[in-house]
Amino acid sequence: MSRTSSPTRTYDVIVLGLGGMGSSAAWHLAERGVRVLGLEKFGPAHNRGSSHGGSRITRQSYFEGAAYVPLLLRAYELYERLEKETGLDIATLCGGVMAGLPDSRTVAGSLESARTWDLPHELLDAAEIRRRFPTLSPADDEVALYEARAGLLKPENTVTAQLRLAERAGADLHFEEPALRWEALGDHVRVETAQGTYTAGQLVICPGAWAPQILSGLSLPITIERQIMYWFQPAGGVEPYRPERHPIYIWEDSADVQIYGFPAIDGPDGGAKVAFFRKNGAPCTPETIDRTVHRHEIDAMAAQARRHLPTLPGTFLRAATCMYSTTDDEHFVIARHPGHPDAVTVACGFSGHGFKFVPVVGEILADLALRGATEHPISLFDPRRFAPPPV
């Protein structure tokens, strides 16, 4: 049926984008008994945006700011629920090391959050890091905050779990059906796709790297960057890198360059994953991103990893690109749309550190769409912080 001849179909809430945040919003909304339509440009749990790559770090001693910790505590509860209700393998709490010089943001910021919220943690000197984790090789003046409750999340399984629960609760999910346009019309919203026109009382927009296009009217300072994830087969094999022996880590060197990495979770031939954190990100759009990973990029990653994990870069296996969508202050945007506060809710700018919040962000978006407010602390994420001061 053509778009011009198709009837208008009505829902209570339409969710645009069914990646990490959108699939979570659809799940929480459907569970509250409302009629939900989810629209996704690609297939379920796809690899064209940011919610892919096999693993994401989760942690509570948050160097990005202590204000995030209450949301993380709730996210941990919801991740446990996702696993229990779907039977999917989502979270592995293998412990985490936040390493660097004592005054580095990675160490000092993590320590501040841990102390502010009385989170269990240990501060390890270089000798203790080497003793506990022989795969890691800190300099003598480096230290680490160790958090036993840190670990990794599987993004594809997370999205799949949330989609399953959303459908189980009655959500209508459409894949390979991108929105062509949306508009707020007083007491309702309208969304058009090539397959039809849909109306609802509320619209939730989770655009990921498509935020600059879909939310152009907000003029948010969001940069879309190409980032790369790498997998190397460690010299001597992956056994020392298994989750029982090797933690997740974020490591900041004296030049403020951060790398992060994971245990080997993909079997004896799958290697271990490592990446730069925010470094070398080339500005792009979803349409112009270079999906080819070049030799000089692989060499740069191997050289940096070798400084901290001497056996890791052994043999390069593969790499994958993804997109970061990052605000100027690196904090999220989660709010009612300032231009359409009665009908539209937006969530974007998560990249670099957002995936661990996925299930609680969906809960917040359901609150905002259905009640206009949430008990969760989200004032930090108000898009009006970017508005120019009054003259």
Side-chain angles (χ1 to χ4, degrees):
M1 184 177 293
S2 69
R3 176 166 55 86
T4 56
S5 62
S6 61
T8 297
R9 283 160 280 180
T10 302
Y11 294 84
D12 295 316
V13 186
I14 298 172
V15 179
L16 293 190
L18 294 174
M21 304 305 173
S23 62
S24 181
W27 163 39
H28 285 285
L29 285 162
E31 282 202 335
R32 298 186 191 189
V34 299
R35 293 168 299 166
V36 178
L37 169 66
L39 295 173
E40 168 56 50
K41 182 180 181 72
F42 302 105
H46 63 82
N47 65 354
R48 308 304 292 173
S50 302
S51 299
H52 66 98
S55 55
R56 290 289 185 273
I57 284 176
T58 189
R59 52 196 165 90
Q60 295 179 349
S61 299
Y62 216 58
F63 65 76
E64 291 87 345
Y68 284 89
V69 174
L71 298 179
L72 288 163
L73 297 176
R74 177 57 176 159
Y76 268 56
E77 294 174 350
L78 290 169
Y79 272 117
E80 288 182 14
R81 184 183 159 203
L82 276 175
E83 285 193 313
K84 184 179 298 183
E85 295 190 12
T86 65
L88 291 174
D89 177 17
I90 292 175
T92 300
L93 300 184
C94 56
V97 168
M98 272 54 79
L101 296 174
D103 60 352
S104 65
R105 183 190 183 198
T106 301
V107 175
S110 299
L111 187 59
E112 179 182 2
S113 284
R115 288 173 172 170
T116 299
W117 291 98
D118 196 26
L119 301 173
H121 68 281
E122 299 175 70
L123 195 59
L124 311 180
D125 62 19
E128 185 63 9
I129 297 169
R130 297 186 201 108
R131 187 187 71 79
R132 289 202 198 182
F133 309 110
T135 50
L136 307 182
S137 182
D140 289 341
D141 57 350
E142 290 184 314
V143 299
L145 180 141
Y146 175 70
E147 179 186 332
R149 290 276 290 166
L152 64 92
L153 304 165
K154 295 185 175 180
E156 291 90 346
N157 282 6
T158 300
V159 173
T160 298
Q162 292 177 156
L163 293 174
R164 285 185 187 177
L165 293 182
E167 287 191 305
R168 188 182 300 173
D172 191 5
L173 307 181
H174 293 195
F175 298 98
E176 308 291 344
E177 187 175 349
L180 301 177
R181 60 188 61 85
W182 67 270
E183 56 182 336
L185 301 166
D187 62 349
H188 69 283
V189 296
R190 183 166 61 207
V191 177
E192 294 183 32
T193 76
Q195 283 71 47
T197 300
Y198 308 94
T199 65
Q202 295 289 323
L203 176 64
V204 175
I205 303 176
C206 302
W210 287 262
Q213 296 99 307
I214 296 175
L215 297 174
S216 57
L218 274 180
S219 299
L220 294 172
I222 290 183
T223 300
I224 309 304
E225 292 182 328
R226 168 184 176 271
Q227 294 286 345
I228 308 171
M229 302 169 282
Y230 303 83
W231 286 260
F232 292 90
Q233 183 73 356
V238 299
E239 191 60 31
Y241 287 80
R242 291 179 57 80
E244 313 88 73
R245 305 174 66 181
H246 179 77
I248 63 94
Y249 55 89
I250 303 175
W251 209 312
E252 182 176 349
D253 68 14
S254 58
D256 300 327
V257 175
Q258 290 171 300
I259 66 169
Y260 66 96
F262 300 83
I265 60 172
D266 298 320
D269 300 319
K273 177 181 165 186
V274 64
F276 284 108
F277 185 54
R278 299 194 186 280
K279 178 181 169 60
N280 299 332
C284 68
T285 70
E287 294 73 30
T288 63
I289 181 173
D290 179 4
R291 297 283 182 180
T292 300
V293 178
H294 303 279
R295 185 73 242 179
H296 71 273
E297 295 173 316
I298 298 168
D299 291 343
M301 184 74 261
Q304 187 71 21
R306 190 175 293 112
R307 298 176 60 182
H308 308 298
L309 302 94
T311 64
L312 177 60
T315 303
F316 170 71
L317 296 176
R318 61 189 174 96
T321 59
C322 69
M323 289 179 287
Y324 275 16
S325 52
T326 309
T327 63
D328 282 359
D329 62 8
E330 299 180 1
H331 296 307
F332 311 151
V333 172
I334 309 173
R336 288 293 226 169
H337 191 300
H340 309 287
D342 295 326
V344 183
T345 303
V346 298
C348 59
F350 292 100
S351 290
H353 64 126
F355 196 88
K356 59 186 71 63
F357 297 91
V358 154
V360 70
V361 169
E363 188 171 63
I364 292 167
L365 294 175
D367 289 343
L368 294 177
L370 300 181
R371 298 193 287 109
T374 181
E375 284 72 39
H376 290 294
I378 62 168
S379 60
L380 181 62
F381 313 133
D382 192 328
R384 292 174 296 182
R385 70 188 188 269
F386 299 118
V391 178

